[in-house]
Amino acid sequence: SQTIHQWPATLVQPVGSPLSLECTVEGTSNPNLYWYRQAAGRGLQLLFYSVGIGQISSEVPQNLSASRPQDRQFILSSKKLLLSDSGFYLCAWSGRAYEQYFGPGTRLTVT
Amino acid sequence: AQSVAQPEDQVNVAEGNPLTVKCTYSVSGNPYLFWYVQYPNRGLQFLLKYITGDNLVKGSYGFEAEFNKSQTSFHLKKPSALVSDSALYFCAVRDPFNTGFQKLVFGTGTRLLVSP
């Protein structure tokens, strides 16, 4: 069966510091991968998606970037965090079926 | 472009009563529709989907949803609510006729509170 992992689970970082969040998927190959941000426990904002290694599409211009160095690894990064980057970050994957499956999330607080 | 609306910010229901969480959609063709549930500080869990076929779809934890093409709706239902069903529920849509990468468009979420 497939499993998706995210780490860390929680993170408190000062403004201006770098960020690296990691997501890995097990039990499938060549998944589509996604990064979402959820603010205030409600709506989901799609940040990035990837259909393959090195292929990243950005949905909104912002202070973040994403990379996919391996087939089942998706990384969200920032060089300098802003207060507005605080939120709950969710990674998801999809395969041949149409639904997406989500990881447990990372709670990021920028202070 | 496809869109989905969840008109209720919150739904309150007593344990043992039936529950309905509403969702309406807008797509150019026949939609692919999904429901997810999110518990506090957790990721979204997939509940059920409608792709084609029977308009009544059964999913996890006793939930079901009814696809109504004429009303462009996909309401989530459960015959008897449990306190443990209290969570945030998201409806999502995918337009299979939309060219380009197929993304899910999520609603803003409905908070379900089931009282003992």
Side-chain angles (χ1 to χ4, degrees):
Chain A
S1 64
Q2 299 85 10
T3 310
I4 180 168
H5 303 279
Q6 286 186 245
W7 65 88
T10 60
L11 191 59
V12 180
Q13 293 283 93
V15 168
S17 63
L19 174 73
S20 181
L21 304 181
E22 190 165 342
C23 171
T24 58
V25 181
E26 297 177 354
T28 187
S29 59
N30 197 30
N32 294 327
L33 296 172
Y34 311 81
W35 277 112
Y36 290 88
R37 178 168 59 203
Q38 185 178 30
R42 294 309 288 257
L44 295 171
Q45 180 185 31
L46 179 61
L47 302 176
F48 302 94
Y49 62 90
S50 172
V51 299
I53 296 174
Q55 301 178 64
I56 308 296
S57 295
S58 174
E59 282 294 287
V60 292
Q62 54 199 316
N63 189 40
L64 302 169
S65 62
S67 62
R68 185 172 177 173
Q70 301 180 43
D71 181 45
R72 289 169 289 177
Q73 183 185 31
F74 206 22
I75 296 172
L76 184 69
S77 304
S78 174
K79 292 182 179 178
K80 290 185 178 182
L81 282 169
L82 306 172
L83 285 174
S84 57
D85 292 325
S86 294
F88 193 49
Y89 289 83
L90 291 161
C91 181
W93 73 273
S94 65
R96 292 185 178 181
Y98 303 106
E99 63 269 24
Q100 295 177 14
Y101 295 93
F102 285 78
T106 295
R107 174 76 60 191
L108 172 66
T109 303
V110 183
T111 61
Chain B
Q2 64 266 38
S3 66
V4 62
Q6 294 183 242
E8 301 157 315
D9 207 46
Q10 182 166 307
V11 170
N12 298 305
V13 64
E15 187 173 34
N17 284 358
L19 70 87
T20 299
V21 182
K22 295 180 180 177
C23 172
T24 59
Y25 65 89
S26 174
V27 298
S28 56
N30 292 321
Y32 294 174
L33 294 157
F34 308 83
W35 275 103
Y36 287 82
V37 60
Q38 185 182 31
Y39 296 97
N41 295 311
R42 303 286 293 276
L44 277 68
Q45 295 180 34
F46 170 69
L47 280 178
L48 51 80
K49 66 182 176 185
Y50 171 82
I51 303 299
T52 187
D54 194 347
N55 289 344
L56 185 63
V57 179
K58 295 188 182 297
S60 307
Y61 312 120
F63 284 95
E64 58 189 26
E66 186 169 11
F67 171 64
N68 188 316
K69 187 172 183 178
S70 63
Q71 296 185 7
T72 63
S73 66
F74 189 56
H75 300 332
L76 182 70
K77 300 181 179 183
K78 188 173 183 181
S80 179
L82 300 173
V83 172
S84 58
D85 292 330
S86 298
L88 187 58
Y89 290 81
F90 290 96
C91 182
V93 65
R94 169 178 164 165
D95 183 352
F97 293 97
N98 188 19
T99 58
F101 183 74
Q102 292 294 312
K103 296 172 283 190
L104 291 187
V105 175
F106 285 85
T108 53
T110 297
R111 192 166 302 282
L112 174 66
L113 290 178
V114 182
S115 55

